[in-house]
Amino acid sequence: MSAGRPTRPRSNPWLRPVGLVLRLIVLGVGLGVIVGTALKLMAPRLVQGALGTPAPAAPVSPVATKPGSGPMALGRFEPRQELVGLSQQWARLAAAQKGLTASGFLLVLDDGRYAELQPDLPLSAASSIKVPILLAGLEDLDRGKVRWNEPMPLTKEVVGGGAGWMASKPLGTRFPFFEAATEMIRVSDNTATNLLIRRLGGKTELNGRFRSLGLTATVVNNWLPDLDGTNTTSSRDLARSIALVDTGDKLTPRARDLFREIMGTSRTNTLIPLGLLMGLGKDSSDPDSELLPEGITVYNKTGDIGIAYSDTALIQLPNGQRAVLAVMVKGPFNDPRSAELIRSMAGAVTKTLVKR
């Protein structure tokens, strides 16, 4: 008997059409995904081509938008364009007051506009020298050379007369660094200032620090109150002292905040702040409060030993810019024209920088 060929099983006639349909479905889904993805990627360019609009600009680099750049940048202590009219007005105001010697310096940190009147003339610093002393103290705090709450003992050597209350405390009383730094500005405490001078290394060491900061006219020769006016500075030095802080050149952000907070405690606002307000055509016994609605904030420190008056300030302007201003006047003892000249020069600043 011969062997026969094996019989092939009969296939189901419905399987072939079903398989074909499944393949078509899978193929259709795959093509749909591919076409959909392509259209999604090409749609913006197709729309731009149809409308004739340019492609969107590339995203701005993070470097260009980092803090401290753009319109709210910190600025620099870099005079660029003189406000000639203001400088000339200052000169006329000073020339009209016979027997007074005046010095002034203004710089808008944001754009470099400036005005000046004998800005490098060394004059008696009085209590305005406390601003560069505060800068040096906070610089040492940044470097870890002093502690914020470090106690400093009161000794006979540093007791100073005049403004302040620390001199009335018993010898041996220990004041923390932050209290002395604050009272030096808040009530212009002379004993607090002497405590800091001693803690920062003494007069010679501190004068070297001032030179390293570019404060060439700033010199401490005697303990405060220095009624003879032997301690000197200049209007440019005073303005630079504040600018070095506010532009971030010398202090960390935390120490810069401390500087501004301490400067904000100063009680005397009868020179630059009142002058700025008078430049707006107003007068008040509380000029700081009246300036705030105008968009102006002033952080200032005055000096007054009768024969010398001074004031230096950081000014926040209504347009968001910041300016540093320092004015110094030397004249006869307790001559009221000295304070009035400072106010007049500050008023001229308002008329120049504040557009109403």
Side-chain angles (χ1 to χ4, degrees):
M1 176 187 257
S2 61
R5 297 179 62 183
T7 342
R8 298 179 62 182
R10 297 181 61 185
S11 60
N12 191 327
W14 293 100
L15 292 179
R16 185 171 297 175
V18 170
L20 181 60
V21 169
L22 291 175
R23 289 181 183 180
L24 290 173
I25 291 173
V26 172
L27 179 62
V29 170
L31 287 174
V33 171
I34 294 171
V35 172
T37 302
L39 289 174
K40 183 177 180 180
L41 294 174
M42 295 177 62
R45 295 187 181 182
L46 292 173
V47 172
Q48 290 160 7
L51 298 179
T53 56
V60 179
S61 169
V63 175
T65 57
K66 66 180 180 180
S69 64
M72 293 301 287
L74 296 176
R76 298 186 59 81
F77 190 81
E78 185 179 332
R80 299 174 193 169
Q81 179 184 357
E82 184 174 7
L83 297 165
V84 177
L86 180 57
S87 295
Q88 292 174 345
Q89 188 174 1
W90 279 358
R92 289 192 297 269
L93 289 169
Q97 302 301 326
K98 303 302 179 184
L100 300 185
T101 301
S103 168
F105 186 76
L106 166 77
L107 176 65
V108 181
L109 298 175
D110 302 75
D111 56 27
R113 288 178 295 160
Y114 73 97
E116 61 182 16
L117 173 65
Q118 303 187 98
D120 299 310
L121 177 66
L123 292 172
S124 297
S127 287
S128 61
I129 204 167
K130 294 168 182 176
V131 174
I133 291 174
L134 178 62
L135 166 58
L138 291 178
E139 191 177 37
D140 274 3
L141 180 69
D142 254 349
R143 296 173 176 175
K145 293 184 176 181
V146 299
R147 301 191 312 277
W148 186 233
N149 63 346
E150 179 178 328
M152 299 184 295
L154 181 65
T155 62
K156 185 177 180 179
E157 178 189 33
V158 298
V159 172
W165 55 271
M166 290 186 174
S168 64
K169 296 301 179 180
L171 296 180
T173 302
R174 298 160 74 84
F175 300 101
F177 175 87
F178 69 82
E179 185 175 33
T182 301
E183 293 303 285
M184 175 178 70
I185 301 298
R186 189 181 73 88
V187 294
S188 204
D189 195 302
N190 292 320
T191 299
T193 309
N194 295 338
L195 282 167
L196 290 179
I197 292 173
R198 183 184 63 189
R199 180 59 187 85
L200 297 176
K203 304 180 190 73
T204 301
E205 176 68 22
L206 193 55
N207 290 335
R209 293 280 298 282
F210 292 153
R211 288 192 295 273
S212 70
L213 291 168
L215 310 178
T216 56
T218 304
V219 181
V220 176
N221 290 307
N222 280 308
W223 300 109
L224 276 288
D226 185 39
L227 297 177
D228 293 329
T230 63
N231 299 334
T232 64
T233 189
S234 68
S235 57
R236 190 191 300 272
D237 278 9
L238 291 176
R240 179 177 173 82
S241 297
I242 296 179
L244 287 174
V245 176
D246 208 65
T247 58
D249 283 352
K250 288 300 175 184
L251 299 182
T252 63
R254 179 171 294 184
R256 187 175 69 225
D257 289 347
L258 291 174
F259 181 92
R260 195 174 299 157
E261 288 173 12
I262 292 172
M263 289 289 290
T265 66
S266 177
R267 289 183 172 181
T268 306
N269 55 10
T270 56
L271 295 179
I272 284 179
L274 181 55
L276 293 172
L277 185 64
M278 293 173 69
L280 298 175
K282 298 183 177 182
D283 195 356
S284 172
S285 59
D286 186 10
D288 287 323
S289 296
E290 293 294 327
L291 287 169
L292 285 176
E294 302 288 343
I296 300 173
T297 304
V298 184
Y299 302 90
N300 73 298
K301 178 70 190 80
T302 61
D304 169 15
I305 55 172
I307 59 173
Y309 287 76
S310 59
D311 201 359
T312 183
L314 170 69
I315 305 170
Q316 178 87 37
L317 296 167
N319 63 358
Q321 292 183 332
R322 285 181 177 163
V324 286
L325 171 64
V327 185
M328 307 179 70
V329 178
K330 178 182 178 182
F333 185 76
N334 281 352
D335 189 330
R337 295 181 304 150
S338 295
E340 188 55 42
L341 180 55
I342 292 176
R343 285 190 284 268
S344 297
M345 292 174 68
V349 170
T350 315
K351 293 175 182 177
T352 302
L353 297 184
V354 180
K355 307 301 180 185
R356 306 187 73 191

